[in-house]
Amino acid sequence: MTATGTAGVATVRQRCAFVLLGGVQATLIFTLAALAIPLPLIVREFGLDRAHLILLSAAYGLTFAGLLLFGGRLADRCGGRRAFTAGLVLFAAASAAAPLAHGMATLLVARFAQGAGAALIPPAAMAVLRAVFPSPTMYGRAMATWGGLSVLGATAGNLLSGVISALLSWRWTFAVPLVVALAALALAPRLLPDTTPSRSRTLDLPGALLATAGITLASYGFIVTDTRPWSSAGVLAPLLSGAALLAAFWYAERHAPDPLLPPGFLLDRQRAVALAAIALSACGTAMTFVLLSLQLQQTRDWSQLRTSAAFVPFAVVLMASSRAAGPLIGRYGARTVTAAGLGTGAAGLTVLALTGIDAHIPYGYGLLPGLVLLPAGAAASFAGATVLATEGVPQPQTGLAGGVLNTAMEFGPTLLLAVLLALGGDASSLAATGAALGAVALLNHRTR
């Protein structure tokens, strides 16, 4: 199953396994972004106020981010393919229920359940991927490609959701994750190896509860700053509670015999900088879609279909950059590619801050340059940082690495995005994110 071809060339079965795992990974992020453009339609249909709109848009990401670390431990404890299959079953069931929702409450529960199922999948997929590519060289190449899948999924979510909702209905956007999940469930037993569970490891339920509750509460606190002042009880209560729970989690992990997240895992300087690069790159791309989608539809009065078409160059450049990232990493190294990607992404965000928000500047001059630079840099930084974040991780901790990696990807669009949008206007938020990308690029260079 996992034997490599001659000269380190992947076999057909290995490639098919990667396509299956990668397709599911991209679909999870597609699902995160899929409601961004059709959200105004849902607001009108269900009569939602702004607070409900914010909660609905964040529901999937809250449970996704909050349960990822526990999902990583389950993948290591129970076996990658079993955890992968369990996550797919819950994800598929929630994806089938969501389009049948007749009101806010039903749709909200379905989105929470989607996120819970999704949280099991990425860590398990990375554990299986390690078994599919046992050679360190081939695993490194796979990780270089894997790093660009999330931003590709987010782009596809924004593009296709606008087209689907304009031509059919917003409810049909859930057909994509449902079909992918069902196909993956059918193909997984044939293509994916059954990884060996680490029976000696405990599940660390106290750590899982503290981490999940802390991340979820803190994320919610940041999210509601969009509708409430920072000094209000509705913001301070979840923020302070989340911070206290995360502090308790950190203390508990230092004294646990088999911790959910070993403290030293995040203290590795290379890994910490790589995770920061992933979080900020995810934040930058999410911010661009959120701000520009609203600006094009509300200020320029563009249709959903035209708004989606505006991001086509973004998608084309993203795919080209993702394809080029692997060979570039093989030639110049992951650190160099990550630094170059962060710098290019910072330039793209700066251009968008200067010209992209101004409705009086034509698309070709104001938006297009930034929509070319940002995806070129984001794809490269995602690919390089993924390699750096997973480099040297022992096989029993592969699921943990997947959980941490995807938590960083969720942390950017959830917490960082909420903070940056709350602290300034649209242009200043884009500029601040660009400056942060530049700072991480310098830190990355200094970790040599």
Side-chain angles (χ1 to χ4, degrees):
M1 167 64 206
T2 58
T4 57
T6 58
V9 177
T11 64
V12 173
R13 198 165 187 179
Q14 284 176 314
R15 292 176 182 175
C16 290
F18 182 85
V19 169
L20 171 61
L21 295 169
V24 171
Q25 172 70 12
T27 301
L28 298 181
I29 311 302
F30 169 97
T31 307
L32 179 67
L35 290 188
I37 291 181
L39 202 55
L41 297 176
I42 302 173
V43 170
R44 287 197 295 270
E45 182 173 335
F46 291 157
L48 305 181
D49 58 25
R50 187 168 178 81
H52 286 142
L53 181 153
I54 296 295
L55 182 58
L56 180 60
S57 64
Y60 176 85
L62 283 174
T63 47
F64 194 173
L67 290 168
L68 270 167
L69 288 178
F70 187 53
R73 173 51 60 91
L74 281 176
D76 290 334
R77 177 71 173 78
C78 303
R81 197 175 77 181
R82 290 182 183 179
F84 183 77
T85 301
L88 280 175
V89 170
L90 179 54
F91 182 72
S95 298
L100 303 177
H102 294 291
M104 163 71 177
T106 310
L107 183 57
L108 189 63
V109 170
R111 289 292 280 177
F112 277 128
Q114 270 189 317
L120 296 176
I121 297 172
M126 287 188 62
V128 174
L129 199 64
R130 188 73 172 264
V132 172
F133 297 103
S135 162
T137 301
M138 296 193 70
Y139 180 70
R141 292 176 187 169
M143 282 294 96
T145 304
W146 189 266
L149 293 175
S150 293
V151 69
L152 183 61
T155 304
N158 282 281
L159 288 175
L160 293 180
S161 64
V163 174
I164 293 171
S165 60
L167 298 180
L168 298 170
S169 163
W170 63 266
R171 297 176 186 272
W172 280 96
T173 59
F174 292 98
V176 175
L178 177 59
V179 170
V180 171
L182 293 176
L185 283 169
L187 295 173
R190 303 178 186 178
L191 295 177
L192 304 182
D194 194 4
T195 55
T196 304
S198 299
R199 296 297 185 189
S200 60
R201 310 201 71 183
T202 60
L203 285 178
D204 187 18
L205 288 176
L209 291 172
L210 287 171
T212 300
I215 292 173
T216 302
L217 281 172
S219 300
Y220 177 77
F222 281 117
I223 288 167
V224 296
T225 57
D226 190 74
T227 57
R228 301 178 183 178
W230 283 82
S231 58
S232 67
V235 171
L236 289 178
L239 275 181
L240 295 177
S241 300
L245 288 170
L246 290 175
F249 168 71
W250 186 257
Y251 177 82
E253 296 302 279
R254 294 186 64 184
H255 296 86
D258 189 14
L260 180 72
L261 176 61
F265 192 82
L266 295 180
L267 295 180
D268 179 89
R269 187 173 180 181
Q270 173 179 295
R271 185 172 296 118
V273 172
L275 292 173
I278 289 169
L280 283 167
S281 296
C283 175
T285 53
M287 180 181 294
T288 299
F289 277 112
V290 170
L291 295 183
L292 295 187
S293 294
L294 290 174
Q295 196 259 357
L296 291 175
Q297 292 183 71
Q298 295 178 352
T299 305
R300 303 196 187 197
D301 199 27
W302 285 19
S303 67
Q304 291 178 324
L305 202 58
R306 190 179 179 187
T307 300
S308 292
F311 290 100
V312 169
F314 188 105
V316 172
V317 174
L318 181 71
M319 288 187 287
S321 182
S322 296
R323 187 174 181 82
L328 289 173
I329 289 172
R331 183 171 183 178
Y332 298 106
R335 197 181 310 279
T336 300
V337 172
T338 302
L342 289 168
T344 305
L349 287 169
T350 302
V351 170
L352 288 172
L354 294 174
T355 63
I357 302 299
D358 191 338
H360 301 290
I361 300 179
Y363 172 84
Y365 298 104
L367 286 174
L368 188 58
L371 292 178
V372 169
L373 288 171
L374 177 58
S381 62
F382 265 114
T386 300
V387 173
L388 294 174
T390 56
E391 194 172 61
V393 175
Q395 187 153 356
Q397 291 187 332
T398 305
L400 168 64
V404 170
L405 187 71
N406 283 275
T407 299
M409 290 181 184
E410 295 303 308
F411 178 83
T414 304
L415 268 72
L416 290 180
L417 179 59
V419 171
L420 288 165
L421 289 179
L423 292 179
D426 294 351
S428 59
S429 297
L430 289 168
T433 309
L437 284 175
V440 174
L442 292 176
L443 284 174
N444 175 75
H445 178 73
R446 296 188 65 179
T447 56
R448 291 181 181 274

